[in-house]
Amino acid sequence: MLDINIKGTIPKNMEDRGLHILSDNLGEIENILNQRKMPKKGLSDEKIELLLTFLSNMDTDKDPKAIRVGEREARISSEIHKKLSSNFCHGIGRSGNLVDPQPKAPGASAMYALTNKLLESFLKNLNVNVNALATPVSTGMSIALCLSALKRGFLVENVNKNVNKNKDTKIATNITTNITKKQYSKYDGANVVIYPYASHKSPIKSTSFAGMRMRFVETQLSDRDDCVEIPVEDIISATEKELKAGNNPVILSTLTFFPPRRGDDIEEISKYCLENNIPHIINGAYAIQNHKYLDKLKKALKYRVDAIVSSTDKNLMTPIGGGIIYSKNKDFLREVSLTYPGRASATPIVNTFVSLLSLGMDKYTQLMKEQVITKNLLDDLLIDLANKTGNTKLNVDSPIASCITTQKDPVDVSAKLYNLRITGPRGIKTTDHFGNCYMQNYKYNYVVMNASIGVKESDVNNAVDRLSKVI
Ligand SMILES: *Cc1c(COP(=O)(O)O)cnc(C)c1O
């Protein structure tokens, strides 16, 4: 198609050599298109841009012969828009379904499908075998999409017919012919979200955004360590209460959270959800970056997990604005995609695409290793600081974040850190029920700090050094 005809302009042996080099360089791009897998070694920015240029030049707004008389023709007022959208001015999706190919945008549609393939291969390399959907919205809104899909009701494959004892389950009568071979049941309109309490406003707002009611399950102080946690029995009992009242509950569990809040026992919750045909969404906002979280996800995925939601910025180092929804249940992902109202900006998808291609598996694995090392450093430094200042490093359960007590006002401590140009620490008072995720008074005033993917040892060294001056 691209005929690089330089015949006769230079000596033949040079021509051959030049075309050979070009072919090797374009080969990297061809490999991505042919294999549709996360590359082992990341691509250079130049090659990624070239690939984006090829793809975006397939969209109809680039058709030099097109006659455009629609109400939406990707007309742009400034060339800056091209840069900002990587030239995918038509966006992605077809009103009412994100993943449906957009006739005006063959290139963007292919780019999106490729991104989802790359994501699946990325997760598979991390031993998580799932279907994946990149979303053009962040974690909270992605959770809202999942809840909204559950609210509409959807068809689920009956993984285990024997345990399908929930009286609310009806065998769907209007299933389409291509899926009649498997047995499907219909989960009718989820209307209440069982939420083991984690004090993040996004999931709470996701629920109200989806037009559903939320039933909180309260945290308790652990008798094992300094964590606050929610016994699975309490989650089950809250769910049973809603079932008894004739409602259709869905459980929204949280895997990743600021300590002292412990991540929910997603494996046990998933078992219960499978046995009782309860939909289950996991908020794994920053779960992909650490193997402790990934192992938990893997175990839960053996049972009932309708979807896991993660952030692209927290895990893949994109600008904020994208999400990843993944699940073994491809049909459910399609339902989620169908829930999105309208067409979407291609940019958050391009961001995900670019991160996957530029990182490559090698770099990501390396970053994961560095995250673990830096988190250990953070722990060591905090233990040291605690010993020197008569404080305690809390015995909490997080592969990302650590807590240290303070005898001063912790809010004041974190404000001082902010003024010392440190972003990220949270200072929480014993009486801060929201910050503690705990309705009673927590045992300590504390400061929490994160060593999440991409963090440098110097960040942790400097942060703890400045903390030592204000704690
Ligand atoms: C970051 C985070 C969110 C919100 O994510 P957005 O991408 O801002 O919507 C929700 N829940 C948890 C546990 C988070 O860490």
Side-chain angles (χ1 to χ4, degrees):
M1 182 195 338
L2 189 61
D3 187 13
I4 310 280
N5 184 0
I6 54 168
K7 226 171 245 163
T9 60
I10 47 174
K12 177 80 170 82
N13 66 328
M14 278 175 66
E15 178 195 327
D16 290 347
R17 181 66 177 273
L19 289 177
H20 199 73
I21 295 169
L22 178 63
S23 154
D24 270 8
N25 273 308
L26 291 179
E28 265 190 77
I29 294 175
E30 283 172 346
N31 280 346
I32 296 297
L33 292 165
N34 287 329
Q35 295 170 4
R36 303 172 191 181
K37 290 202 173 112
M38 171 107 167
K40 187 167 147 40
K41 195 170 152 289
L43 268 64
S44 67
D45 290 353
E46 207 180 7
K47 286 188 184 128
I48 297 172
E49 274 174 352
L50 197 52
L51 175 53
L52 289 170
T53 304
F54 285 144
L55 290 167
S56 63
N57 270 283
M58 296 177 191
D59 284 359
T60 57
D61 57 317
K62 315 300 182 317
D63 179 354
K65 296 188 182 138
I67 298 156
R68 300 185 281 161
V69 291
E71 89 292 4
R72 180 183 245 179
E73 291 292 359
R75 294 184 181 108
I76 49 170
S77 65
S78 158
E79 294 298 294
I80 296 173
H81 290 308
K82 288 192 181 172
K83 246 197 288 181
L84 295 177
S85 66
S86 301
N87 225 336
F88 291 111
C89 301
H90 259 301
I92 51 145
R94 206 170 179 186
S95 63
N97 194 351
L98 278 177
V99 294
D100 270 1
Q102 166 57 242
K104 285 178 184 168
S109 304
M111 181 278 296
Y112 188 20
L114 186 54
T115 304
N116 291 333
K117 287 270 173 232
L118 292 177
L119 266 179
E120 283 168 11
S121 120
F122 168 60
L123 291 166
K124 191 168 180 191
N125 288 337
L126 297 172
N127 292 320
V128 180
N129 269 313
V130 283
N131 299 110
L133 177 72
T135 58
V137 286
S138 301
T139 322
M141 285 301 279
S142 295
I143 292 173
L145 288 178
C146 293
L147 294 177
S148 176
L150 291 168
K151 187 183 179 196
R152 276 179 357 138
F154 67 104
L155 298 171
V156 282
E157 192 183 342
N158 268 336
V159 194
N160 185 343
K161 277 173 256 167
N162 299 329
V163 296
N164 179 19
K165 62 192 179 196
N166 180 357
K167 62 183 176 335
D168 291 338
T169 305
K170 298 172 209 138
I171 300 298
T173 48
N174 60 344
I175 43 182
T176 50
T177 44
N178 59 340
I179 54 172
T180 44
K181 276 174 259 128
K182 292 180 190 167
Q183 199 192 350
Y184 278 77
S185 67
K186 186 169 166 67
Y187 190 85
D188 271 325
N191 58 0
V192 56
V193 175
I194 308 293
Y195 188 53
Y197 184 62
S199 57
H200 202 295
K201 284 178 187 162
S202 301
I204 299 169
K205 287 183 189 175
S206 309
T207 302
S208 61
F209 188 79
M212 292 163 80
R213 178 166 60 83
M214 188 165 248
R215 182 184 184 118
F216 292 107
V217 190
E218 271 188 35
T219 55
Q220 298 180 1
L221 272 187
S222 172
D223 47 24
R224 286 183 276 165
D225 50 26
D226 295 324
C227 286
V228 295
E229 63 189 13
I230 295 141
V232 176
E233 307 87 77
D234 291 7
I235 299 168
I236 294 175
S237 135
T239 310
E240 299 286 321
K241 276 182 192 145
E242 292 294 344
L243 285 172
K244 249 187 217 128
N247 289 313
N248 293 343
V250 35
I251 297 177
L252 173 57
S253 64
T254 306
L255 176 60
T256 56
F257 210 76
F258 287 108
R261 169 70 161 80
R262 195 197 303 284
D264 290 324
D265 187 344
I266 54 171
E267 186 179 1
E268 286 305 313
I269 295 172
S270 301
K271 277 184 198 165
Y272 169 78
C273 287
L274 175 66
E275 285 164 10
N276 296 276
N277 197 26
I278 304 291
H280 180 202
I281 307 293
I282 298 175
N283 178 1
Y286 47 97
I288 300 175
Q289 62 185 282
N290 186 287
H291 278 292
K292 284 198 178 147
Y293 286 142
L294 290 170
D295 287 346
K296 288 187 179 171
L297 288 178
K298 237 176 13 191
K299 285 182 184 148
L301 279 163
K302 288 190 198 143
Y303 308 99
R304 173 101 187 234
V305 178
D306 293 76
I308 303 156
V309 180
S310 296
S311 155
T312 56
D313 62 270
K314 287 180 189 170
N315 297 283
L316 283 173
M317 306 163 109
T318 66
I320 286 164
I324 311 168
I325 305 180
Y326 44 113
S327 166
K328 291 211 185 277
N329 188 343
K330 202 171 185 167
D331 298 318
F332 182 62
L333 291 185
R334 181 155 180 88
E335 293 294 327
V336 171
S337 152
L338 264 168
T339 305
Y340 189 94
R343 233 192 274 183
S345 164
T347 305
I349 308 298
V350 174
N351 292 341
T352 301
F353 186 64
V354 167
S355 269
L356 292 169
L357 290 181
S358 63
L359 286 165
M361 215 53 224
D362 284 352
K363 179 82 191 286
Y364 199 77
T365 313
Q366 180 61 26
L367 286 169
M368 286 176 96
K369 282 188 192 140
E370 284 168 17
Q371 186 276 319
V372 172
I373 292 168
T374 316
K375 162 70 159 98
N376 287 337
L377 173 68
L378 175 65
D379 283 342
D380 290 346
L381 292 175
L382 288 183
I383 288 169
D384 203 40
L385 178 62
N387 288 340
K388 280 185 191 147
T389 54
N391 287 302
T392 310
K393 182 186 151 299
L394 294 184
N395 181 14
V396 290
D397 179 16
S398 164
I400 308 286
S402 310
C403 305
I404 184 169
T405 62
T406 172
Q407 286 133 45
K408 301 212 177 113
D409 178 344
V411 178
D412 204 41
V413 171
S414 68
K416 283 190 174 131
L417 288 174
Y418 182 81
N419 290 337
L420 290 170
R421 304 172 75 168
I422 302 185
T423 56
R426 298 204 316 168
I428 308 288
K429 286 185 194 174
T430 55
T431 50
D432 178 351
H433 299 167
F434 188 76
N436 287 317
C437 295
Y438 184 53
M439 293 307 157
Q440 294 164 52
N441 286 1
Y442 185 62
K443 301 183 278 186
Y444 305 102
N445 289 317
Y446 61 91
V447 176
V448 52
M449 275 189 183
N450 292 272
S452 55
I453 197 157
V455 68
K456 296 193 176 61
E457 290 195 9
S458 59
D459 291 325
V460 165
N461 279 318
N462 289 329
V464 177
D465 181 50
R466 292 186 196 181
L467 176 63
S468 73
K469 301 200 165 85
V470 295
I471 197 167

